[in-house]
Amino acid sequence: MSFLHSFTRSRMNRASSSRLSELPQRVESNRMSMVYATPQSKQSLGKLNIPKPQSVTSERRTSFFGSRTSGTGMARNSAFGGTEKMKDPRPLHDKAYVQQCIRQLCEFLSEKGFPGSMSVKSLQSPSTKEFLKIFEFIYCLLDPTFQMPTSKVEEEVPRILKDLGYPFVLSKSSMYSVGAPHTWPQVLGSVVWLIDTVKVFCCMSDQDLLFADFSDGSTEIEDGVEFNKLFLDYTAETYNKFMQGADTFDEEDADYLAKLKRLYNVDEGLLASMEEKYRILSGEVERLEKESQTDRLMVKRTEKVKLQTDLQKLQSYRSNLESFKANLENKASGLAEELEASGLQVETLKQEESRLQHILSTQKFTPADIERINWEKRELQQTINSLSKSLEQAEQHMWNEEIALAKAKETAEVKLAEYHKLARKLKLIPVSAENACGHDFEIRTSTEYGPSTMVQCRTQIQQLLRKLITDVDEECSRLTDMKLSLEESIEQVNSNISDKANDLKQLREQIRRLDEQLEQDMQDIAHEEQKWSAEMESVETHRKLLEKKVTLGYDESVEQLKAAQQQYHLVLQETNEERRTVVNNLASVLTTAANHLSIVEKFLEDQHKRVDRVYAEAFREDEVDIQKMKDIMESFIAKVNSM
């Protein structure tokens, strides 16, 4: 029924602007909008899997409209009033619910053809960029012309959700860290709400309720006249009561639900069985999810180790049982032999009894003989009793003596074990030990030893130990003297080390000074090399300039030669006399040019020789300086090595 109320409000929002769609419902009840519904309540209207709404009168939200009067028949005030931040009733901090929402989002994206790879694992903690892609894709299903702005998206996304009527606050700070554990559940809840909005929008765009009477016969029954008539009657009745101040519509819901059941021929038993089946399948899915979250391989390996341990225990228990069975069989065979011997003895006693009975029956005794025999019997019985008591006392005394002896043996064995432990610690046992010196310090337990033997062994060991203590004391005194001499040697070595350290410090200071001098010399050499390179560059520049001038002079001579040749041809055509004059002039010009070329070549050769000479002198000076530096370095290294 919650879907019907949300559907009604959305249709009225499209038809009239009397009530804004973004205004929240003022009663928290199970009659929530399909937009706010959890994934568990995603059922189709055709199958009528709609729970009966419960009336809630105690818990109310603050209305966007003005305060309502106490009278039930009074109309609502249409003026806007104050707002109050509503608490999200969805269990967004429940891990199972969050996982269910993530699966719903992943299924929706794959169903609508999201352009990108998206899985449940990647949706556990998505980045802000991935969230913006998902939000833009889902919102484009509502508005195909929408494009995500490039700036201030942290303000644009909450504004869009607010304009769509999202009843809960989504802060701007949550847009900076979408995948954080404390912000992702709220953002995921808004995305699931947007998905439900898209589904409602698609449902309304697929079936236009205003013109459903003109549909053909192939459409479903909810697109027909009966459904539209019931739905519009229910919408009009509930909206009239809503405007009169009512917040719950239990009677109208029950009436409308009964009419829908009659229209669709709903089987209550089938619905109950389907709900039970859904509950069982949901429990199985939760169990499988919990199993998938744990490492099944590790669980199986742990079970394997436990089973192997149990198998080893069973095998050991089986071997113990077999040994116990063998012992019992041995005892049974012994008892059988004893039983057989006892049977033979019983047969013998029976024969003896029959013989004595025969003798008793054949002989004759007088009363005096009988009295005498009885008196002797009593006398023998008393003697037997007294001997039995003496035997018991002797056995008790022997038992006490054995207990005392066992305690004395235990005490002696403990002391002997301590003695052997201390002797092994002192390396006195065995005979080949380091401190035994070929003597046997071990005391062996034997029942044949008497008091004299123990005293003799004790005396012998005490003598050896006294001798060993004397040797140890002498060795300690010798080591003490050696320690004193070594301490004196160490003091002397320490004084020598301090002297050498001072010498080493002086040598390091000298090395530092030499290093500074060497660095200064290297800087001077580098400066001189820079000067020489500058001079070489200037000489090279001068040489290039001369080459350029010679080239220009040669070109001018060539041009003059061409002009003279042209003039020669002209003069040759005029007269032979002029030809001879031109020839003479041309000869003089050529002679002058040749002389000029020879002069230029000679000047270039002189300049080249001068440059080579300057370069050779500079190179020889550099070699001399480098040789001097090498000599200085070799002498410095020799001094350092000698130090």
Side-chain angles (χ1 to χ4, degrees), residues 1 3-12 45 209 222 224-238 256 259-260 263:
M1 299 303 296
F3 175 76
L4 299 176
H5 290 295
S6 62
F7 195 76
T8 304
R9 284 194 294 273
S10 62
R11 294 299 295 174
M12 286 188 294
L45 182 62
L209 297 179
E222 56 244 20
V225 179
E226 295 85 357
F227 174 78
N228 288 327
K229 186 176 182 300
L230 289 175
F231 181 71
L232 292 176
D233 292 342
Y234 169 76
T235 302
E237 186 177 358
T238 53
Y256 182 61
K259 292 178 180 178
L260 286 176
L263 177 63

PDB file of all heavy atoms in Angstrom, residues 1 3-12 45 209 222 224-238 256 259-260 263:
ATOM      1  N   MET A   1       0.809  -1.198   0.000  1.00  0.00           N
ATOM      2  CA  MET A   1       0.000   0.000   0.000  1.00  0.00           C
ATOM      3  C   MET A   1       0.856   1.267   0.000  1.00  0.00           C
ATOM      4  O   MET A   1       0.409   2.338  -0.408  1.00  0.00           O
ATOM      5  CB  MET A   1      -0.909   0.014   1.241  1.00  0.00           C
ATOM      6  CG  MET A   1      -1.875  -1.163   1.296  1.00  0.00           C
ATOM      7  SD  MET A   1      -2.922  -1.246  -0.168  1.00  0.00           S
ATOM      8  CE  MET A   1      -3.833   0.238  -0.009  1.00  0.00           C
ATOM      9  N   PHE A   3       3.369   1.851  -1.812  1.00  0.00           N
ATOM     10  CA  PHE A   3       3.602   2.222  -3.205  1.00  0.00           C
ATOM     11  C   PHE A   3       2.424   3.018  -3.772  1.00  0.00           C
ATOM     12  O   PHE A   3       2.595   3.954  -4.547  1.00  0.00           O
ATOM     13  CB  PHE A   3       3.852   0.953  -4.017  1.00  0.00           C
ATOM     14  CG  PHE A   3       3.979   1.227  -5.492  1.00  0.00           C
ATOM     15  CD1 PHE A   3       5.143   1.773  -5.994  1.00  0.00           C
ATOM     16  CD2 PHE A   3       2.942   0.944  -6.356  1.00  0.00           C
ATOM     17  CE1 PHE A   3       5.271   2.019  -7.339  1.00  0.00           C
ATOM     18  CE2 PHE A   3       3.070   1.200  -7.701  1.00  0.00           C
ATOM     19  CZ  PHE A   3       4.241   1.734  -8.192  1.00  0.00           C
ATOM     20  N   LEU A   4       1.195   2.664  -3.365  1.00  0.00           N
ATOM     21  CA  LEU A   4       0.010   3.349  -3.876  1.00  0.00           C
ATOM     22  C   LEU A   4       0.009   4.803  -3.432  1.00  0.00           C
ATOM     23  O   LEU A   4      -0.281   5.708  -4.220  1.00  0.00           O
ATOM     24  CB  LEU A   4      -1.252   2.638  -3.392  1.00  0.00           C
ATOM     25  CG  LEU A   4      -1.401   1.172  -3.853  1.00  0.00           C
ATOM     26  CD1 LEU A   4      -2.637   0.571  -3.230  1.00  0.00           C
ATOM     27  CD2 LEU A   4      -1.466   1.117  -5.363  1.00  0.00           C
ATOM     28  N   HIS A   5       0.371   5.058  -2.159  1.00  0.00           N
ATOM     29  CA  HIS A   5       0.378   6.446  -1.676  1.00  0.00           C
ATOM     30  C   HIS A   5       1.431   7.261  -2.398  1.00  0.00           C
ATOM     31  O   HIS A   5       1.187   8.395  -2.812  1.00  0.00           O
ATOM     32  CB  HIS A   5       0.629   6.461  -0.165  1.00  0.00           C
ATOM     33  CG  HIS A   5      -0.520   5.932   0.625  1.00  0.00           C
ATOM     34  ND1 HIS A   5      -1.756   6.545   0.670  1.00  0.00           N
ATOM     35  CD2 HIS A   5      -0.620   4.812   1.407  1.00  0.00           C
ATOM     36  CE1 HIS A   5      -2.563   5.845   1.450  1.00  0.00           C
ATOM     37  NE2 HIS A   5      -1.907   4.790   1.906  1.00  0.00           N
ATOM     38  N   SER A   6       2.621   6.697  -2.554  1.00  0.00           N
ATOM     39  CA  SER A   6       3.677   7.439  -3.259  1.00  0.00           C
ATOM     40  C   SER A   6       3.302   7.674  -4.713  1.00  0.00           C
ATOM     41  O   SER A   6       3.554   8.739  -5.282  1.00  0.00           O
ATOM     42  CB  SER A   6       4.998   6.668  -3.175  1.00  0.00           C
ATOM     43  OG  SER A   6       4.853   5.419  -3.823  1.00  0.00           O
ATOM     44  N   PHE A   7       2.674   6.649  -5.328  1.00  0.00           N
ATOM     45  CA  PHE A   7       2.270   6.785  -6.724  1.00  0.00           C
ATOM     46  C   PHE A   7       1.203   7.871  -6.870  1.00  0.00           C
ATOM     47  O   PHE A   7       1.207   8.675  -7.805  1.00  0.00           O
ATOM     48  CB  PHE A   7       1.755   5.427  -7.204  1.00  0.00           C
ATOM     49  CG  PHE A   7       1.644   5.335  -8.693  1.00  0.00           C
ATOM     50  CD1 PHE A   7       2.786   5.171  -9.458  1.00  0.00           C
ATOM     51  CD2 PHE A   7       0.426   5.417  -9.326  1.00  0.00           C
ATOM     52  CE1 PHE A   7       2.696   5.076 -10.829  1.00  0.00           C
ATOM     53  CE2 PHE A   7       0.336   5.327 -10.695  1.00  0.00           C
ATOM     54  CZ  PHE A   7       1.469   5.151 -11.451  1.00  0.00           C
ATOM     55  N   THR A   8       0.279   7.901  -5.901  1.00  0.00           N
ATOM     56  CA  THR A   8      -0.784   8.907  -5.933  1.00  0.00           C
ATOM     57  C   THR A   8      -0.204  10.309  -5.819  1.00  0.00           C
ATOM     58  O   THR A   8      -0.564  11.223  -6.557  1.00  0.00           O
ATOM     59  CB  THR A   8      -1.771   8.654  -4.784  1.00  0.00           C
ATOM     60  OG1 THR A   8      -2.247   7.325  -4.901  1.00  0.00           O
ATOM     61  CG2 THR A   8      -2.932   9.628  -4.839  1.00  0.00           C
ATOM     62  N   ARG A   9       0.721  10.492  -4.870  1.00  0.00           N
ATOM     63  CA  ARG A   9       1.315  11.810  -4.675  1.00  0.00           C
ATOM     64  C   ARG A   9       2.108  12.251  -5.895  1.00  0.00           C
ATOM     65  O   ARG A   9       2.105  13.415  -6.282  1.00  0.00           O
ATOM     66  CB  ARG A   9       2.194  11.804  -3.423  1.00  0.00           C
ATOM     67  CG  ARG A   9       1.390  11.852  -2.140  1.00  0.00           C
ATOM     68  CD  ARG A   9       2.298  12.202  -0.977  1.00  0.00           C
ATOM     69  NE  ARG A   9       3.256  11.150  -0.736  1.00  0.00           N
ATOM     70  CZ  ARG A   9       3.034  10.106   0.039  1.00  0.00           C
ATOM     71  NH1 ARG A   9       1.870   9.972   0.633  1.00  0.00           N
ATOM     72  NH2 ARG A   9       3.966   9.192   0.237  1.00  0.00           N
ATOM     73  N   SER A  10       2.817  11.313  -6.528  1.00  0.00           N
ATOM     74  CA  SER A  10       3.592  11.681  -7.711  1.00  0.00           C
ATOM     75  C   SER A  10       2.686  12.084  -8.870  1.00  0.00           C
ATOM     76  O   SER A  10       2.984  13.010  -9.627  1.00  0.00           O
ATOM     77  CB  SER A  10       4.495  10.518  -8.120  1.00  0.00           C
ATOM     78  OG  SER A  10       3.711   9.400  -8.448  1.00  0.00           O
ATOM     79  N   ARG A  11       1.548  11.386  -9.044  1.00  0.00           N
ATOM     80  CA  ARG A  11       0.617  11.734 -10.122  1.00  0.00           C
ATOM     81  C   ARG A  11      -0.039  13.093  -9.855  1.00  0.00           C
ATOM     82  O   ARG A  11      -0.213  13.898 -10.762  1.00  0.00           O
ATOM     83  CB  ARG A  11      -0.462  10.659 -10.252  1.00  0.00           C
ATOM     84  CG  ARG A  11       0.069   9.300 -10.713  1.00  0.00           C
ATOM     85  CD  ARG A  11       0.710   9.390 -12.077  1.00  0.00           C
ATOM     86  NE  ARG A  11      -0.261   9.737 -13.100  1.00  0.00           N
ATOM     87  CZ  ARG A  11       0.037   9.999 -14.356  1.00  0.00           C
ATOM     88  NH1 ARG A  11       1.313  10.002 -14.729  1.00  0.00           N
ATOM     89  NH2 ARG A  11      -0.894  10.299 -15.238  1.00  0.00           N
ATOM     90  N   MET A  12      -0.379  13.341  -8.601  1.00  0.00           N
ATOM     91  CA  MET A  12      -0.995  14.626  -8.284  1.00  0.00           C
ATOM     92  C   MET A  12       0.000  15.758  -8.450  1.00  0.00           C
ATOM     93  O   MET A  12      -0.358  16.880  -8.789  1.00  0.00           O
ATOM     94  CB  MET A  12      -1.542  14.603  -6.852  1.00  0.00           C
ATOM     95  CG  MET A  12      -2.807  13.770  -6.699  1.00  0.00           C
ATOM     96  SD  MET A  12      -3.536  13.960  -5.080  1.00  0.00           S
ATOM     97  CE  MET A  12      -2.268  13.216  -4.096  1.00  0.00           C
ATOM     98  N   LEU A  45       3.342  -4.669  -7.894  1.00  0.00           N
ATOM     99  CA  LEU A  45       1.938  -4.467  -7.547  1.00  0.00           C
ATOM    100  C   LEU A  45       1.061  -5.557  -8.114  1.00  0.00           C
ATOM    101  O   LEU A  45       0.036  -5.899  -7.561  1.00  0.00           O
ATOM    102  CB  LEU A  45       1.495  -3.084  -8.047  1.00  0.00           C
ATOM    103  CG  LEU A  45       0.062  -2.670  -7.727  1.00  0.00           C
ATOM    104  CD1 LEU A  45      -0.130  -2.596  -6.230  1.00  0.00           C
ATOM    105  CD2 LEU A  45      -0.264  -1.354  -8.387  1.00  0.00           C
ATOM    106  N   LEU A 209      -1.832   6.538 -16.845  1.00  0.00           N
ATOM    107  CA  LEU A 209      -3.086   6.180 -16.188  1.00  0.00           C
ATOM    108  C   LEU A 209      -4.264   7.044 -16.659  1.00  0.00           C
ATOM    109  O   LEU A 209      -5.414   6.645 -16.552  1.00  0.00           O
ATOM    110  CB  LEU A 209      -2.924   6.313 -14.677  1.00  0.00           C
ATOM    111  CG  LEU A 209      -1.895   5.366 -14.044  1.00  0.00           C
ATOM    112  CD1 LEU A 209      -1.829   5.624 -12.559  1.00  0.00           C
ATOM    113  CD2 LEU A 209      -2.288   3.924 -14.308  1.00  0.00           C
ATOM    114  N   GLU A 222      -3.937  -4.352 -14.587  1.00  0.00           N
ATOM    115  CA  GLU A 222      -3.835  -3.096 -13.864  1.00  0.00           C
ATOM    116  C   GLU A 222      -3.887  -1.894 -14.794  1.00  0.00           C
ATOM    117  O   GLU A 222      -3.974  -0.766 -14.354  1.00  0.00           O
ATOM    118  CB  GLU A 222      -2.555  -3.046 -13.022  1.00  0.00           C
ATOM    119  CG  GLU A 222      -1.310  -3.280 -13.833  1.00  0.00           C
ATOM    120  CD  GLU A 222      -0.629  -4.551 -13.392  1.00  0.00           C
ATOM    121  OE1 GLU A 222      -1.270  -5.402 -12.762  1.00  0.00           O
ATOM    122  OE2 GLU A 222       0.541  -4.677 -13.677  1.00  0.00           O
ATOM    123  N   GLY A 224      -6.305  -1.699 -16.962  1.00  0.00           N
ATOM    124  CA  GLY A 224      -7.688  -1.702 -17.428  1.00  0.00           C
ATOM    125  C   GLY A 224      -8.560  -0.731 -16.672  1.00  0.00           C
ATOM    126  O   GLY A 224      -8.127   0.025 -15.795  1.00  0.00           O
ATOM    127  N   VAL A 225      -9.840  -0.800 -16.973  1.00  0.00           N
ATOM    128  CA  VAL A 225     -10.804   0.140 -16.404  1.00  0.00           C
ATOM    129  C   VAL A 225     -11.014  -0.136 -14.927  1.00  0.00           C
ATOM    130  O   VAL A 225     -11.110   0.792 -14.107  1.00  0.00           O
ATOM    131  CB  VAL A 225     -12.136   0.038 -17.189  1.00  0.00           C
ATOM    132  CG1 VAL A 225     -13.184   0.977 -16.605  1.00  0.00           C
ATOM    133  CG2 VAL A 225     -11.899   0.330 -18.658  1.00  0.00           C
ATOM    134  N   GLU A 226     -11.112  -1.428 -14.536  1.00  0.00           N
ATOM    135  CA  GLU A 226     -11.414  -1.758 -13.143  1.00  0.00           C
ATOM    136  C   GLU A 226     -10.342  -1.225 -12.208  1.00  0.00           C
ATOM    137  O   GLU A 226     -10.633  -0.604 -11.171  1.00  0.00           O
ATOM    138  CB  GLU A 226     -11.536  -3.282 -12.984  1.00  0.00           C
ATOM    139  CG  GLU A 226     -12.693  -3.905 -13.744  1.00  0.00           C
ATOM    140  CD  GLU A 226     -12.314  -4.218 -15.187  1.00  0.00           C
ATOM    141  OE1 GLU A 226     -11.170  -3.868 -15.547  1.00  0.00           O
ATOM    142  OE2 GLU A 226     -13.143  -4.773 -15.927  1.00  0.00           O
ATOM    143  N   PHE A 227      -9.067  -1.470 -12.583  1.00  0.00           N
ATOM    144  CA  PHE A 227      -7.981  -1.018 -11.711  1.00  0.00           C
ATOM    145  C   PHE A 227      -7.950   0.504 -11.607  1.00  0.00           C
ATOM    146  O   PHE A 227      -7.797   1.063 -10.518  1.00  0.00           O
ATOM    147  CB  PHE A 227      -6.639  -1.539 -12.241  1.00  0.00           C
ATOM    148  CG  PHE A 227      -5.462  -0.995 -11.488  1.00  0.00           C
ATOM    149  CD1 PHE A 227      -5.124  -1.506 -10.246  1.00  0.00           C
ATOM    150  CD2 PHE A 227      -4.702   0.040 -12.011  1.00  0.00           C
ATOM    151  CE1 PHE A 227      -4.054  -0.994  -9.554  1.00  0.00           C
ATOM    152  CE2 PHE A 227      -3.629   0.555 -11.323  1.00  0.00           C
ATOM    153  CZ  PHE A 227      -3.294   0.033 -10.087  1.00  0.00           C
ATOM    154  N   ASN A 228      -8.128   1.179 -12.744  1.00  0.00           N
ATOM    155  CA  ASN A 228      -8.094   2.651 -12.717  1.00  0.00           C
ATOM    156  C   ASN A 228      -9.235   3.217 -11.885  1.00  0.00           C
ATOM    157  O   ASN A 228      -9.064   4.193 -11.139  1.00  0.00           O
ATOM    158  CB  ASN A 228      -8.168   3.201 -14.133  1.00  0.00           C
ATOM    159  CG  ASN A 228      -6.870   2.964 -14.899  1.00  0.00           C
ATOM    160  OD1 ASN A 228      -5.811   2.977 -14.307  1.00  0.00           O
ATOM    161  ND2 ASN A 228      -6.973   2.721 -16.191  1.00  0.00           N
ATOM    162  N   LYS A 229     -10.406   2.602 -12.002  1.00  0.00           N
ATOM    163  CA  LYS A 229     -11.557   3.088 -11.228  1.00  0.00           C
ATOM    164  C   LYS A 229     -11.311   2.928  -9.735  1.00  0.00           C
ATOM    165  O   LYS A 229     -11.510   3.850  -8.943  1.00  0.00           O
ATOM    166  CB  LYS A 229     -12.816   2.322 -11.652  1.00  0.00           C
ATOM    167  CG  LYS A 229     -14.102   2.830 -11.021  1.00  0.00           C
ATOM    168  CD  LYS A 229     -15.293   2.078 -11.579  1.00  0.00           C
ATOM    169  CE  LYS A 229     -16.587   2.626 -10.983  1.00  0.00           C
ATOM    170  NZ  LYS A 229     -16.630   2.497  -9.518  1.00  0.00           N
ATOM    171  N   LEU A 230     -10.816   1.719  -9.336  1.00  0.00           N
ATOM    172  CA  LEU A 230     -10.518   1.495  -7.917  1.00  0.00           C
ATOM    173  C   LEU A 230      -9.434   2.457  -7.432  1.00  0.00           C
ATOM    174  O   LEU A 230      -9.533   3.043  -6.345  1.00  0.00           O
ATOM    175  CB  LEU A 230     -10.065   0.052  -7.696  1.00  0.00           C
ATOM    176  CG  LEU A 230     -11.129  -1.032  -7.826  1.00  0.00           C
ATOM    177  CD1 LEU A 230     -10.487  -2.407  -7.695  1.00  0.00           C
ATOM    178  CD2 LEU A 230     -12.191  -0.852  -6.769  1.00  0.00           C
ATOM    179  N   PHE A 231      -8.418   2.617  -8.231  1.00  0.00           N
ATOM    180  CA  PHE A 231      -7.286   3.430  -7.814  1.00  0.00           C
ATOM    181  C   PHE A 231      -7.673   4.909  -7.679  1.00  0.00           C
ATOM    182  O   PHE A 231      -7.313   5.574  -6.706  1.00  0.00           O
ATOM    183  CB  PHE A 231      -6.136   3.276  -8.822  1.00  0.00           C
ATOM    184  CG  PHE A 231      -4.917   4.074  -8.458  1.00  0.00           C
ATOM    185  CD1 PHE A 231      -4.118   3.706  -7.387  1.00  0.00           C
ATOM    186  CD2 PHE A 231      -4.584   5.204  -9.176  1.00  0.00           C
ATOM    187  CE1 PHE A 231      -3.014   4.444  -7.052  1.00  0.00           C
ATOM    188  CE2 PHE A 231      -3.479   5.952  -8.840  1.00  0.00           C
ATOM    189  CZ  PHE A 231      -2.683   5.569  -7.771  1.00  0.00           C
ATOM    190  N   LEU A 232      -8.431   5.412  -8.645  1.00  0.00           N
ATOM    191  CA  LEU A 232      -8.819   6.819  -8.581  1.00  0.00           C
ATOM    192  C   LEU A 232      -9.804   7.076  -7.446  1.00  0.00           C
ATOM    193  O   LEU A 232      -9.735   8.116  -6.778  1.00  0.00           O
ATOM    194  CB  LEU A 232      -9.411   7.254  -9.919  1.00  0.00           C
ATOM    195  CG  LEU A 232      -8.410   7.294 -11.093  1.00  0.00           C
ATOM    196  CD1 LEU A 232      -9.136   7.633 -12.387  1.00  0.00           C
ATOM    197  CD2 LEU A 232      -7.317   8.306 -10.823  1.00  0.00           C
ATOM    198  N   ASP A 233     -10.741   6.119  -7.194  1.00  0.00           N
ATOM    199  CA  ASP A 233     -11.651   6.271  -6.047  1.00  0.00           C
ATOM    200  C   ASP A 233     -10.872   6.299  -4.740  1.00  0.00           C
ATOM    201  O   ASP A 233     -11.118   7.131  -3.857  1.00  0.00           O
ATOM    202  CB  ASP A 233     -12.671   5.128  -6.028  1.00  0.00           C
ATOM    203  CG  ASP A 233     -13.640   5.221  -7.202  1.00  0.00           C
ATOM    204  OD1 ASP A 233     -13.736   6.324  -7.794  1.00  0.00           O
ATOM    205  OD2 ASP A 233     -14.269   4.194  -7.540  1.00  0.00           O
ATOM    206  N   TYR A 234      -9.905   5.374  -4.614  1.00  0.00           N
ATOM    207  CA  TYR A 234      -9.088   5.313  -3.394  1.00  0.00           C
ATOM    208  C   TYR A 234      -8.265   6.596  -3.242  1.00  0.00           C
ATOM    209  O   TYR A 234      -8.158   7.157  -2.142  1.00  0.00           O
ATOM    210  CB  TYR A 234      -8.177   4.088  -3.463  1.00  0.00           C
ATOM    211  CG  TYR A 234      -7.107   4.073  -2.393  1.00  0.00           C
ATOM    212  CD1 TYR A 234      -7.417   3.736  -1.081  1.00  0.00           C
ATOM    213  CD2 TYR A 234      -5.798   4.414  -2.711  1.00  0.00           C
ATOM    214  CE1 TYR A 234      -6.448   3.734  -0.114  1.00  0.00           C
ATOM    215  CE2 TYR A 234      -4.814   4.415  -1.748  1.00  0.00           C
ATOM    216  CZ  TYR A 234      -5.137   4.075  -0.437  1.00  0.00           C
ATOM    217  OH  TYR A 234      -4.168   4.068   0.517  1.00  0.00           O
ATOM    218  N   THR A 235      -7.719   7.081  -4.350  1.00  0.00           N
ATOM    219  CA  THR A 235      -6.894   8.297  -4.298  1.00  0.00           C
ATOM    220  C   THR A 235      -7.731   9.497  -3.886  1.00  0.00           C
ATOM    221  O   THR A 235      -7.312  10.300  -3.029  1.00  0.00           O
ATOM    222  CB  THR A 235      -6.260   8.549  -5.668  1.00  0.00           C
ATOM    223  OG1 THR A 235      -5.491   7.413  -6.041  1.00  0.00           O
ATOM    224  CG2 THR A 235      -5.354   9.776  -5.638  1.00  0.00           C
ATOM    225  N   ALA A 236      -8.896   9.635  -4.465  1.00  0.00           N
ATOM    226  CA  ALA A 236      -9.753  10.780  -4.132  1.00  0.00           C
ATOM    227  C   ALA A 236     -10.178  10.735  -2.667  1.00  0.00           C
ATOM    228  O   ALA A 236     -10.145  11.754  -1.958  1.00  0.00           O
ATOM    229  CB  ALA A 236     -10.973  10.793  -5.053  1.00  0.00           C
ATOM    230  N   GLU A 237     -10.553   9.541  -2.181  1.00  0.00           N
ATOM    231  CA  GLU A 237     -11.034   9.427  -0.800  1.00  0.00           C
ATOM    232  C   GLU A 237      -9.921   9.724   0.199  1.00  0.00           C
ATOM    233  O   GLU A 237     -10.109  10.486   1.156  1.00  0.00           O
ATOM    234  CB  GLU A 237     -11.593   8.018  -0.587  1.00  0.00           C
ATOM    235  CG  GLU A 237     -12.260   7.841   0.772  1.00  0.00           C
ATOM    236  CD  GLU A 237     -12.874   6.456   0.912  1.00  0.00           C
ATOM    237  OE1 GLU A 237     -12.793   5.675  -0.074  1.00  0.00           O
ATOM    238  OE2 GLU A 237     -13.414   6.163   1.991  1.00  0.00           O
ATOM    239  N   THR A 238      -8.733   9.132  -0.019  1.00  0.00           N
ATOM    240  CA  THR A 238      -7.623   9.357   0.915  1.00  0.00           C
ATOM    241  C   THR A 238      -7.126  10.794   0.852  1.00  0.00           C
ATOM    242  O   THR A 238      -6.754  11.375   1.880  1.00  0.00           O
ATOM    243  CB  THR A 238      -6.465   8.402   0.602  1.00  0.00           C
ATOM    244  OG1 THR A 238      -6.125   8.524  -0.790  1.00  0.00           O
ATOM    245  CG2 THR A 238      -6.860   6.973   0.890  1.00  0.00           C
ATOM    246  N   TYR A 256      -9.531  -0.929   0.216  1.00  0.00           N
ATOM    247  CA  TYR A 256      -8.899  -0.983  -1.108  1.00  0.00           C
ATOM    248  C   TYR A 256      -8.169  -2.309  -1.306  1.00  0.00           C
ATOM    249  O   TYR A 256      -8.198  -2.904  -2.399  1.00  0.00           O
ATOM    250  CB  TYR A 256      -7.927   0.189  -1.241  1.00  0.00           C
ATOM    251  CG  TYR A 256      -7.247   0.271  -2.577  1.00  0.00           C
ATOM    252  CD1 TYR A 256      -7.975   0.449  -3.745  1.00  0.00           C
ATOM    253  CD2 TYR A 256      -5.859   0.167  -2.675  1.00  0.00           C
ATOM    254  CE1 TYR A 256      -7.356   0.531  -4.968  1.00  0.00           C
ATOM    255  CE2 TYR A 256      -5.231   0.237  -3.897  1.00  0.00           C
ATOM    256  CZ  TYR A 256      -5.977   0.427  -5.050  1.00  0.00           C
ATOM    257  OH  TYR A 256      -5.356   0.494  -6.261  1.00  0.00           O
ATOM    258  N   LYS A 259     -10.725  -4.986  -2.098  1.00  0.00           N
ATOM    259  CA  LYS A 259     -11.211  -4.884  -3.476  1.00  0.00           C
ATOM    260  C   LYS A 259     -10.168  -5.388  -4.475  1.00  0.00           C
ATOM    261  O   LYS A 259     -10.500  -6.064  -5.451  1.00  0.00           O
ATOM    262  CB  LYS A 259     -11.578  -3.437  -3.792  1.00  0.00           C
ATOM    263  CG  LYS A 259     -12.799  -2.935  -3.034  1.00  0.00           C
ATOM    264  CD  LYS A 259     -13.087  -1.488  -3.360  1.00  0.00           C
ATOM    265  CE  LYS A 259     -14.312  -0.964  -2.599  1.00  0.00           C
ATOM    266  NZ  LYS A 259     -14.564   0.461  -2.891  1.00  0.00           N
ATOM    267  N   LEU A 260      -8.902  -5.048  -4.230  1.00  0.00           N
ATOM    268  CA  LEU A 260      -7.848  -5.524  -5.122  1.00  0.00           C
ATOM    269  C   LEU A 260      -7.727  -7.045  -5.075  1.00  0.00           C
ATOM    270  O   LEU A 260      -7.482  -7.696  -6.094  1.00  0.00           O
ATOM    271  CB  LEU A 260      -6.506  -4.883  -4.754  1.00  0.00           C
ATOM    272  CG  LEU A 260      -6.323  -3.409  -5.124  1.00  0.00           C
ATOM    273  CD1 LEU A 260      -4.993  -2.901  -4.613  1.00  0.00           C
ATOM    274  CD2 LEU A 260      -6.403  -3.224  -6.633  1.00  0.00           C
ATOM    275  N   LEU A 263     -10.415  -8.382  -7.125  1.00  0.00           N
ATOM    276  CA  LEU A 263     -10.162  -8.135  -8.535  1.00  0.00           C
ATOM    277  C   LEU A 263      -9.132  -9.107  -9.101  1.00  0.00           C
ATOM    278  O   LEU A 263      -9.281  -9.617 -10.215  1.00  0.00           O
ATOM    279  CB  LEU A 263      -9.694  -6.682  -8.729  1.00  0.00           C
ATOM    280  CG  LEU A 263      -9.321  -6.268 -10.159  1.00  0.00           C
ATOM    281  CD1 LEU A 263     -10.532  -6.359 -11.074  1.00  0.00           C
ATOM    282  CD2 LEU A 263      -8.746  -4.855 -10.170  1.00  0.00           C
TER     283      LEU A 263
END
